[in-house]
Amino acid sequence: PQSCPAVDNISLDVAHGEVLALIGQSGSGKTTLLRLAAGLEFPDAGKVLIDGATVAAAGDRHLEVPPEKRRLGLVFQDGALFPHLNAERNVAYGLKKVSRQERADRVKEALELVDLHGMEKRMPHELSGGEKQRLSLARALAPKPRLLLLDEPFSHLDPALRRKLREEIRDILSGVGQTALMVTHDPEDALANATRVAIKEKGEILQTGE
């Protein structure tokens, strides 16, 4: 049977310090694009560059930079928290090669940034939906990533919480000047959070604009 290629002939740039939202229908390859950027998938054609350096190029595995060395942060649709670790240890998980003191400082800073100070010992099941997603954001921001990747971060929340969290995350990202790429099928999510929006359909970028 004929299959539709995931992603296809797309070309997309994210400028330093901007939040770019990519809008596309379900099944249009948005998540695959994030996985390519993160190094969880390898391109069949084309290349992926971060800060001008190639981190993946079709046909040349020697240029591939593994995910853990790309310095990217990931926030998934469901938060993807570790259920057996408390909030503090969830955030600390990605801080491997720093001193104990710096790890403690970064965890404290990240939790304060997302307004979860005082909830360090809470387990994920003791947090609300919005708190879980803010904790997921804190974990992604703690290592100070070059690029933050957000995959439909609001889609599983009820409308009232969704609106509140959109505003909170927009303010957090803009406050730290974080470069981010968010994919969503919801134009409201894109317009509420992004400094620039790109519309994707059938493997092509139809339009981009502020």
Side-chain angles (χ1 to χ4, degrees):
Q2 187 177 12
S3 61
C4 178
V7 183
D8 204 16
N9 195 32
I10 195 167
S11 182
L12 194 66
D13 293 303
V14 185
H16 182 74
E18 82 168 342
V19 177
L20 175 65
L22 179 65
I23 303 176
Q25 295 177 341
S26 295
S28 64
K30 303 186 303 297
T31 296
T32 302
L33 187 71
L34 287 194
R35 291 176 64 83
L36 284 164
L40 303 175
E41 301 282 357
F42 189 77
D44 298 315
K47 58 178 65 176
V48 180
L49 295 91
I50 300 175
D51 282 343
T54 300
V55 296
D60 193 346
R61 288 279 182 176
H62 291 92
L63 294 174
E64 185 179 12
V65 176
E68 65 275 12
K69 293 188 176 177
R70 294 192 186 188
R71 286 187 50 218
L72 304 180
L74 290 161
V75 178
F76 296 102
Q77 194 173 68
D78 60 357
L81 297 169
F82 298 110
H84 62 293
L85 299 181
N86 63 25
E88 188 176 54
R89 292 175 66 200
N90 258 286
V91 176
Y93 185 82
L95 300 170
K96 302 291 188 189
K97 296 182 179 179
V98 297
S99 68
R100 181 175 295 182
Q101 185 58 53
E102 185 176 356
R103 184 182 299 116
D105 290 344
R106 291 253 203 114
V107 169
K108 182 174 183 288
E109 179 187 351
L111 288 172
E112 286 178 350
L113 184 66
V114 301
D115 199 25
L116 289 178
H117 178 64
M119 299 188 183
E120 292 84 353
K121 304 304 179 186
R122 297 261 185 102
M123 301 300 286
H125 72 268
E126 297 176 307
L127 300 173
S128 69
E131 288 165 349
K132 285 178 184 176
Q133 205 62 330
R134 295 208 309 273
L135 178 58
S136 180
L137 180 64
R139 185 179 63 183
L141 290 175
K144 301 189 184 299
R146 295 190 289 182
L147 174 66
L148 182 67
L149 303 171
L150 302 113
D151 186 6
E152 300 269 12
F154 313 110
S155 63
H156 66 298
L157 304 173
D158 66 69
L161 180 55
R162 189 175 186 141
R163 284 192 295 273
K164 181 173 182 290
L165 193 61
R166 278 195 305 225
E167 292 174 6
E168 290 172 347
I169 287 185
R170 179 192 63 210
D171 292 344
I172 290 166
L173 296 182
S174 120
V176 297
Q178 177 65 53
T179 306
L181 171 61
M182 179 180 81
V183 301
T184 179
H185 67 277
D186 189 325
E188 282 190 33
D189 285 350
L191 294 170
N193 280 273
T195 48
R196 189 160 61 96
V197 174
I199 300 171
K200 179 182 184 300
E201 186 176 310
K202 294 180 180 176
E204 302 293 336
I205 300 296
L206 298 184
Q207 188 177 358
T208 63
E210 294 180 354

